[in-house]
Amino acid sequence: MTPTTETMVGIGGAAESTDMVLNIGPQHPSTHGVLRLKLVLDGERITRAEPVIGYMHRGAEKLFEARDYRQIIMLANRHDWLSAFSNELGVVLAVERMLGMEVPERAVWLRTLLAELNRVLNHLMFLGSYPLELGGITPIFYAFREREELQHVMEEVSGGRMHYMFNRVGGLKEDLPAGWTTRARAAVADVRSRMDRFDDLVLGNEIFRGRTRGVGVLSAEAVHAYGVSGPIGRASGVDFDLRRDEPYLAYGELGDVLKVVTREEGDCLARFECLLEQTHNALDLADACLDRLAELPPGPVNQRLPKVLKAPEGHTYAWTENPLGINGYYLVSKGEKTPYRLKLRSASYNNIQALTELLPGTLVADMVAILGSMFFVVGDIDK
């Protein structure tokens, strides 16, 4: 008997249940840099998501081992390019802890002031770029106008627009230029006077609220499981901020000004609200630091260091509340002028992991809204 062959010429509705793999990136407008998202779709719904990282990896942690303690500051301030001052700060705090070094009081307050100005600069970028990703172009123009006000004073004091290189082991590079505090106070006041535009223009926009409310809900349990921190963690009800809970710099004396902003909803809208309210508070903290600096007598802003700086043998861990979350610095020394090991725990790296839990079950149309609300910098993921 001759065998017969059957051919199916149509599958009809069965095609709707066929999974499709979609790559977003690594070069894509919604990914804030060279990040790749590998999505598995069932129609318009995401069933599985995998962030693929490493396209920008520069091996900073390995390069630390071949640079002395002054040179590693340059490498450290570049992984989160929106938070350069805060990145430098974590490294010098770790080295100072190893050395048992006390920093002059004036330098402590100046570091606190500049860290909060850097926080505002970081947050303004996301306050402008997030609405842009959802189709609103106007807020980013306002965000850059306010950023320029603060960039001018940061550039005047340090000489750099993005990579300040102003921290030193033992303090700061140099004292303030004459009249700088007056100009800084004016810049803070100008920015504060126009911040209501983000309240009105963005939060008051019903389209923005419709795209973000109830979308991308991250539970408090997931925050703890993935090590999520910063505004993203606090938007899910996790009330933790190192500046209050384990104070460093001058934050222990700013408890009456420091406000830890939290929400319970854990959605995209809550994350944006936390970021915006935290920006308001950072401006208040900057004013408080300027008030304190005005009361301090003139004095040094750094310690004299030996020509060759060597940390004693041992290890230490320092962590800071960076604009995007908790940054950790694990330093191991063998008594040489270079670190034996310096491991970075960057906020963006942990925060982005939560996408594997956030994205499944959501629509492709909501993917950009969720991704943008995670407030990450790709260099901070890849280091």
Side-chain angles (χ1 to χ4, degrees):
M1 182 176 178
T2 305
T4 58
T5 302
E6 293 184 3
T7 303
M8 182 178 291
V9 295
I11 56 175
E16 295 178 4
S17 63
T18 303
D19 287 342
M20 179 176 75
V21 177
L22 177 67
N23 281 294
I24 304 294
Q27 297 285 0
H28 192 272
S30 73
T31 58
H32 289 236
V34 196
L35 173 72
R36 175 181 163 211
L37 283 179
K38 185 180 178 183
L39 307 178
V40 179
L41 308 180
D42 182 2
E44 285 292 309
R45 199 164 293 278
I46 298 169
T47 59
R48 193 164 67 251
E50 178 190 355
V52 182
I53 65 173
Y55 293 95
M56 282 190 65
H57 183 56
R58 291 158 291 171
E61 293 177 340
K62 193 65 182 174
L63 291 172
F64 286 148
E65 300 170 18
R67 305 291 192 278
D68 68 33
Y69 287 106
R70 294 179 175 89
Q71 294 169 328
I72 61 175
I73 299 171
M74 179 275 295
L75 292 169
N77 78 5
R78 280 162 165 73
H79 55 90
D80 175 0
W81 44 77
L82 296 178
S83 311
F85 186 86
S86 301
N87 298 339
E88 300 171 13
L89 190 59
V91 169
V92 296
L93 287 176
V95 178
E96 287 163 5
R97 182 173 294 182
M98 285 286 285
L99 293 167
M101 181 180 289
E102 289 288 332
V103 176
E105 185 181 13
R106 185 170 173 79
V108 171
W109 282 97
L110 273 173
R111 282 178 171 179
T112 310
L113 167 62
L114 296 172
E116 290 306 312
L117 292 178
N118 194 195
R119 191 180 309 275
V120 177
L121 284 168
N122 175 289
H123 290 356
L124 281 170
M125 176 62 80
F126 291 107
L127 292 174
S129 67
Y130 186 43
L132 178 67
E133 289 162 0
L134 298 180
I137 192 171
T138 307
I140 200 162
F141 295 121
Y142 289 120
F144 267 89
R145 175 180 172 174
E146 310 315 329
R147 276 176 56 85
E148 280 302 309
E149 289 272 358
L150 297 176
Q151 287 281 186
H152 285 320
V153 295
M154 291 293 282
E155 185 176 8
E156 182 186 359
V157 75
S158 68
R161 282 185 60 83
M162 285 185 67
H163 304 300
Y164 304 110
M165 281 302 296
F166 198 54
N167 276 290
R168 295 291 187 272
V169 176
L172 296 169
K173 176 186 173 186
E174 57 197 7
D175 208 343
L176 303 174
W180 183 86
T181 53
T182 303
R183 292 186 288 276
R185 194 183 292 276
V188 169
D190 285 347
V191 172
R192 182 187 286 107
S193 70
R194 293 189 290 265
M195 283 299 294
D196 59 347
R197 286 176 176 159
F198 294 98
D199 295 281
D200 301 337
L201 192 64
V202 183
L203 283 182
N205 186 297
E206 61 185 50
I207 298 174
F208 178 82
R209 299 183 76 87
R211 289 291 309 275
T212 55
R213 186 193 286 119
V215 175
V217 177
L218 183 66
S219 67
E221 292 75 21
V223 167
H224 291 301
Y226 286 93
V228 175
S229 59
I232 302 170
R234 291 191 284 273
S236 297
V238 178
D239 188 4
F240 182 69
D241 190 313
L242 278 178
R243 296 173 297 170
R244 179 199 64 194
D245 300 324
E246 193 173 310
Y248 59 100
L249 296 182
Y251 290 115
E253 300 181 45
L254 292 169
D256 56 336
V257 182
L258 175 62
K259 180 183 177 185
V260 179
V261 183
T262 60
R263 293 290 187 275
E264 296 296 328
E265 296 81 3
D267 57 8
C268 294
L269 181 59
R271 291 190 277 274
F272 187 86
E273 287 177 343
C274 277
L275 199 75
L276 179 55
E277 201 169 329
Q278 190 168 287
T279 308
H280 285 287
N281 187 238
L283 291 169
D284 294 339
L285 288 166
D287 266 341
C289 291
L290 285 165
D291 290 341
R292 184 72 177 95
L293 282 167
E295 299 169 0
L296 289 177
V301 295
N302 51 38
Q303 298 273 25
R304 287 186 62 85
L305 299 177
K307 188 173 182 180
V308 177
L309 180 63
K310 295 183 178 181
E313 188 169 347
H315 60 92
T316 192
Y317 184 78
W319 55 347
T320 58
E321 186 69 43
N322 265 39
L324 298 181
I326 292 174
N327 271 27
Y329 305 83
Y330 179 57
L331 173 63
V332 181
S333 171
K334 294 292 186 181
E336 301 296 330
K337 65 179 182 179
T338 61
Y340 177 75
R341 187 81 172 90
L342 179 53
K343 170 67 180 172
L344 296 180
R345 186 267 191 212
S346 61
S348 298
Y349 182 84
N350 283 71
N351 292 352
I352 207 70
Q353 293 181 92
L355 288 172
T356 57
E357 182 151 332
L358 266 182
L359 290 176
T362 63
L363 296 171
V364 175
D366 290 330
M367 183 273 297
V368 174
I370 296 169
L371 185 64
S373 74
M374 297 308 285
F375 310 131
F376 60 89
V377 169
V378 176
D380 203 36
I381 301 170
D382 290 348
K383 301 190 286 293

